[in-house]
Amino acid sequence: MSENALDLQAAMESALDLAREAALLDEVPVGAVVVELKTGRIVGRGMNRRETRHDPVGHAEIEALQDAARNLQSWRLVDCALVVTLEPCPMCLAAAQQARIDRLIYSAEDPKGGALSLGYLLHEDARTNHRFSVQRFEVTECSDVLREFFRKKRQKPL
């Protein structure tokens, strides 16, 4: 395989499939995958499970990073990219930094909760021991699935 075998569209589609699965569980529809950059192989998968697991850190990114670490038998996810349907929160950006990923790719922006939108640029802070690139790769469906989920939530009686 090439030096960088990451197929962004395919990786984001895999993450989007996980987001749709989360919506079926009445979870906020966010999905994430960890991809080996040299092979293009998905080594970790995750979806939001905060509600079903009663877990405050049950974010898709955390689940994908943990799954990848188990599968690769290392917490250091070097030569890997984290691909997620929604801009990560500060906790998830920090987890990506701790996992030593090489790249973060996200689709939908999150102006109220996204680390980048809020100005938490941990991934490029020279004071930290690991930095990585961040890229936005917009796939309209990632925003659409979130918008539809919350539209339905607002219509439900309490």
Side-chain angles (χ1 to χ4, degrees), residues 8-135:
L8 282 179
Q9 188 66 40
M12 194 61 76
E13 285 297 327
S14 293
L16 187 54
D17 288 344
L18 290 162
R20 289 184 188 111
E21 191 176 331
L24 294 174
L25 298 173
D26 205 28
E27 293 279 359
V28 174
V30 178
V33 295
V34 175
V35 182
E36 285 184 322
L37 289 171
K38 290 182 181 175
T39 65
R41 180 174 67 116
I42 293 176
V43 295
R45 291 174 171 76
M47 69 177 97
N48 274 3
R49 294 183 194 260
R50 288 173 54 174
E51 301 299 331
T52 54
R53 292 186 177 165
H54 310 290
D55 182 358
V57 297
H59 290 202
E61 300 93 326
I62 301 294
E63 192 171 277
L65 292 168
Q66 290 173 333
D67 189 41
R70 280 190 300 273
N71 290 330
L72 296 175
Q73 297 185 340
S74 176
W75 62 267
R76 290 178 184 90
L77 302 179
V78 295
D79 298 323
C80 288
L82 175 62
V83 180
V84 61
T85 58
L86 179 66
E87 176 185 349
C89 72
M91 173 185 69
C92 292
L93 187 67
Q97 191 267 347
Q98 289 297 312
R100 308 297 195 264
I101 64 158
D102 282 4
R103 291 176 69 188
L104 168 71
I105 298 107
Y106 70 96
S107 181
E109 291 181 318
D110 185 359
K112 292 182 180 178
L116 306 169
S117 292
L118 295 171
Y120 297 109
L121 307 179
L122 180 66
H123 65 287
E124 60 185 34
D125 190 327
R127 297 171 298 174
T128 64
N129 62 351
H130 179 72
R131 284 165 294 290
F132 54 95
S133 66
V134 172
Q135 173 185 354

